[in-house]
Amino acid sequence: MEIKDISRNDLREIIKEAVAEVLTERKDLLEEAVSEAILDMKLGLAMEEADTGEYVSEESVLARLKA
């Protein structure tokens, strides 16, 4: 493959076009990424809300999981 001199702006435009084409043709990729990001945010917020600063032992957690 031959490497040609390319300006930074030209490379930027090529990358923009490639990303736009992928997102147009594979909308499922964007939907999945956004969905995962939202779930991660919700989990983080739930963890912050539940954080009381108190800690429990590992045995206590495992006992509740087994019940």
Side-chain angles (χ1 to χ4, degrees):
M1 184 168 126
E2 183 179 327
I3 298 176
K4 297 181 180 183
D5 289 333
I6 187 168
S7 73
R8 185 179 189 134
N9 288 335
D10 288 341
L11 180 58
R12 182 177 289 138
E13 286 303 314
I14 291 169
I15 291 172
K16 282 182 184 179
E17 288 176 20
V19 169
E21 185 175 333
V22 168
L23 293 177
T24 301
E25 293 179 8
R26 295 288 313 270
K27 291 179 182 177
D28 59 311
L29 294 176
L30 181 59
E31 290 171 359
E32 186 176 326
V34 170
S35 176
E36 288 294 321
I38 290 170
L39 289 174
D40 288 347
M41 247 179 27
K42 286 183 176 181
L43 178 60
L45 291 172
M47 290 169 64
E48 285 180 9
E49 184 178 327
D51 185 13
T52 62
E54 296 178 25
Y55 297 96
V56 296
S57 68
E58 180 180 357
E59 294 81 21
S60 174
V61 172
L62 292 176
R64 287 188 181 225
L65 288 175
K66 290 180 183 177

